[in-house]
Amino acid sequence: MGSSRLRAAGDWLEQRLGLRPLFEGSAGHLVPSNASSWWYVFGSATLVCLVMQIATGICLALVYVPSADQAWESLQHLDFEQPFGWYLRGLHYWGSNFMVALMTLHMIQVFLFGAYKYPRELTWLCGCLLFLCTLGLAFTGQVLRFDQNAYWGLGIGVSIMGRIPLLGESLTSLVLGGPILAAETLTRFFSLHVFVLPGLVITLVVLHLRMVLHNGINEFPTRGRGVDPETYDAEYAELIERTGEPFFPNAIHKDLLFSAVVIGSILACAAIFGPKLPNGPPDPTLIDTVPRPDFYFLALFSVFALLPPYMETFLIVYVMPVVVLALFAIPFVSRSGAKHPADRPVAVAGVVLVMTTVMTLAVLGLSSDWSPHMDAWKSVAVPVEMVEGRSPLELRGAAVLQAKQCRNCHALDGSGGKRGPDLGDVATRLTEDQLIRQVLQGGGNMPAYGKNLSPPEVAALVAFLRTLSPADAAIAQNSADPLGG
Amino acid sequence: MSAARETRRSRFRALLAVSVVVLSACDSLPGKPDPADRYVRPDAVMDFETLFAANCTGCHGEGGRQGPAPLLGDPLYLAYAGPRELRRIVSDGVPGTSMPAFLDEKGGTLRAAQIDALVAGMQASWGMAGRFAGRRLPPYRGTRGGDAGLAYARARGRASFQIFCAKCHAAQGGGTPKAGSVFEPSFLALVSDQGLRTAVVAGRPDLGMPAYYAHAVGRPMSDEEIADVVTWMAAHRVEFPGRPFSQAAPFVGKEP
């Protein structure tokens, strides 16, 4: 009795709202049964992340103060005073990490399965735009942390933009709200992160989904079968006819399960690893930290750090736009033909190559050996075994090594900066003359110290460096002087 | 009072207990930021250990011992130098040597209050105020005679060096297997007279050099002997030390 009354109420509502066709055109649409695969879950999981980001983002915006002098403080408040404020920040932080990672997986899957080919070219294009917007959200979000990483990261980002010919200067002041980083900068990034980019993303997601529905989900690729734009539509219609099943409630269960795992992982990561604490406040006079971006930009960070400076402008102005355009152009260049990855070895090799490069660069970025260790000279001790048994002159040499901040770039047996070579065994590599020349004239990326060291300082420094050899190794000698000297 | 109401109440209590446990467990989740990780501006750090580790270990070694720069983590040294001298040296540095000035007004990175915290911390952690309470230590600053006195002082210093120091440092320079030369012109160019005096008084027990009272000779050095030995070492300074670079010039000491 109860159920029939419910049904009557439902029918009454349906008559007025007309939801059924909407449902049949969306969640209830038919998908090829072979598309209900574990490979197809990344897109929906990315969407789930987006929803979580919006929810946690709204909560964060309740506390966050987008003003240059209070932003940093308000995050401190969330992290340390507000109950569970840290957890909220953790969720948003890990949500963004998962979102970027899942989106990348989704793109790789779509690429490998040839899903971008006819008739889904625009779906791919729209996806690429979504990818860029998401990276934009990640970057602007990082800036909102408004700590030293943000400060220096933004500085680097802006100097990248400044290199763009003609437009550079106006773009810079558009982004910064002036020629330098200031209060206006933060409010701009806030409105980008909270209004502009999410608005764009939502619009693009709607378009993206509309196209997925309209063109149907890509069928699971079959070996040896490609896309022929002439016949594809008929083939797809036939496939749906034969094997179609409604997405909801049939095909959706894998997506639901995977999304649940993703949500669980985000909850767990936030609980176990917590949020990323802002490091020092954005004060250009504090130089005690090594700025390092979040993981999605580590690879780019490494590229810029490792490239010789004269390559940077070239990379920014020419290579980056070309890479983005190439990404957009994929479906127009390879519009038809094989879909199955086994039939497309070059595409697979390309993915492997790109991903290994990006990962390697990111790992390099994680240790960022090229940045000097700014405090090593006064905070990293000279290893005791390099102090014991040294003469008074050699001891002073070690103090000179510290005082002249050589240690910021050079390690002694692994401790200290990693920009230059470890000096722990330098005596086995360089003779006294070579040491003196290297110290006075520099070379190989090392500045010349000739003007900054007095003769006794050079003598003491070289005397100390000459003692740095593992106990069993031979000391480098001048070959013209076999008796040593 | 009905039984149903009773169970409802106990159920409520159980629920309350569970939520308290869950909430407090949440509060100790591993991801919760540790207040100790809270960022402190370098100029707001007042903790002695942190200050010393961040600013001094590079040259003076961990715990102020076994670094290339003078021993600081030593009760005798701290009693002999005293807080006033320590504060002055850390603030102003030692000109002509590798010891930088740390006071912000002098181009350093520490505020006066932080330097006070460092000095107090060194005294509290490594000093033993009581141990030297009754003892008369050599004064921190030595005296130097006039020119005539200087010649005598050098002659006396040479003799005292022979008695107390030559065993390890060799009377003519060049050093012995136990210790290196203290007459190297480049070494002397990079050490202050006060630094030499400190080495003689406090020694480097961390590196095997005895303090002024602990020499194998069987008696402590007198104030005069300390001053004379320093004068004698300082007399080996040369006008152009460290040239040519390839070899610190062999000892050609000026005789008094």
Side-chain angles (χ1 to χ4, degrees), chain A residues 14-38:
Chain A
E14 175 57 27
Q15 211 179 350
R16 279 150 190 86
L17 293 175
L19 289 178
R20 192 163 294 141
L22 204 60
F23 172 80
E24 276 159 10
S26 57
H29 75 291
L30 297 184
V31 298
S33 62
N34 65 8
S36 145
S37 142
W38 284 110

Side-chain angles (χ1 to χ4, degrees), chain B residues 2 36 45 48 51 70 75 77 113 141 167 177 181 199 205-206 213 237:
Chain B
S2 72
V45 176
F48 163 65
L51 279 173
Y77 171 72
R141 289 169 190 252
K167 182 165 67 86
S181 166
D206 54 336
Y213 62 84
R237 292 213 160 96

Side-chain angles (χ1 to χ4, degrees), chain A residues 262-286:
Chain A
V262 166
I263 293 177
S265 310
I266 294 176
L267 293 178
C269 281
I272 295 168
F273 305 110
K276 182 160 169 168
L277 295 191
N279 55 12
D283 177 342
T285 63
L286 298 173

Side-chain angles (χ1 to χ4, degrees), chain A residues 117-118 226-229 331 333-338:
Chain A
K117 297 190 181 209
Y118 176 88
V227 180
D228 178 356
V333 174
S334 108
R335 190 163 158 253
S336 55

Side-chain angles (χ1 to χ4, degrees), chain A residues 10-292:
Chain A
D11 286 345
W12 188 87
L13 264 179
E14 175 57 27
Q15 211 179 350
R16 279 150 190 86
L17 293 175
L19 289 178
R20 192 163 294 141
L22 204 60
F23 172 80
E24 276 159 10
S26 57
H29 75 291
L30 297 184
V31 298
S33 62
N34 65 8
S36 145
S37 142
W38 284 110
W39 288 105
Y40 280 51
V41 295
F42 301 124
S44 61
T46 311
L47 185 58
V48 166
C49 287
L50 175 66
V51 173
M52 263 187 91
Q53 287 306 88
I54 292 175
T56 49
I58 289 174
C59 297
L60 280 176
L62 295 177
V63 178
Y64 183 79
V65 186
S67 88
D69 52 345
Q70 286 174 63
W72 190 81
E73 294 296 332
S74 64
L75 293 186
Q76 296 285 309
H77 175 81
L78 272 172
D79 279 334
F80 295 104
E81 273 124 55
Q82 179 124 351
F84 295 100
W86 65 270
Y87 193 62
L88 185 62
R89 288 204 56 230
L91 288 178
H92 202 65
Y93 172 61
W94 284 100
S96 76
N97 283 347
F98 271 81
M99 187 166 164
V100 173
L102 287 166
M103 176 170 264
T104 311
L105 286 176
H106 178 56
M107 268 180 97
I108 291 176
Q109 179 266 319
V110 164
F111 178 75
L112 286 181
F113 282 27
Y116 57 83
K117 297 190 181 209
Y118 176 88
R120 304 187 176 83
E121 301 95 330
L122 284 185
T123 323
W124 168 268
L125 207 73
C126 185
C128 289
L129 288 174
L130 273 170
F131 184 68
L132 293 183
C133 285
T134 306
L135 287 184
L137 275 166
F139 184 78
T140 50
Q142 199 176 292
V143 170
L144 293 193
R145 224 181 274 133
F146 220 56
D147 58 359
Q148 286 175 38
N149 278 342
Y151 193 89
W152 298 110
L154 195 56
I156 294 167
V158 164
S159 69
I160 291 183
M161 272 189 338
R163 309 272 180 88
I164 299 174
L166 301 177
L167 295 176
E169 213 169 295
S170 4
L171 273 180
T172 312
S173 67
L174 181 72
V175 168
L176 295 186
I180 52 157
L181 289 174
E184 288 81 11
T185 316
L186 181 61
T187 47
R188 270 163 207 241
F189 274 84
F190 183 73
S191 75
L192 273 177
H193 186 77
V194 172
F195 302 111
V196 181
L197 287 171
L200 259 176
V201 164
I202 291 171
T203 316
L204 286 169
V205 164
V206 168
L207 261 175
H208 196 68
L209 291 181
R210 171 68 210 144
M211 286 191 272
V212 170
L213 289 177
H214 180 64
N215 298 314
I217 191 92
N218 187 39
E219 75 284 359
F220 202 89
T222 339
R223 272 213 76 163
R225 278 196 54 189
V227 180
D228 178 356
E230 301 289 308
T231 57
Y232 181 80
D233 291 333
E235 285 168 24
Y236 190 79
E238 189 268 332
L239 187 70
I240 292 283
E241 186 86 12
R242 202 157 35 82
T243 74
E245 57 182 27
F247 176 65
F248 180 89
N250 291 30
I252 199 175
H253 62 267
K254 288 205 174 79
D255 293 86
L256 288 181
L257 209 64
F258 185 72
S259 294
V261 170
V262 166
I263 293 177
S265 310
I266 294 176
L267 293 178
C269 281
I272 295 168
F273 305 110
K276 182 160 169 168
L277 295 191
N279 55 12
D283 177 342
T285 63
L286 298 173
I287 50 159
D288 58 324
T289 49
V290 179
R292 182 169 300 144

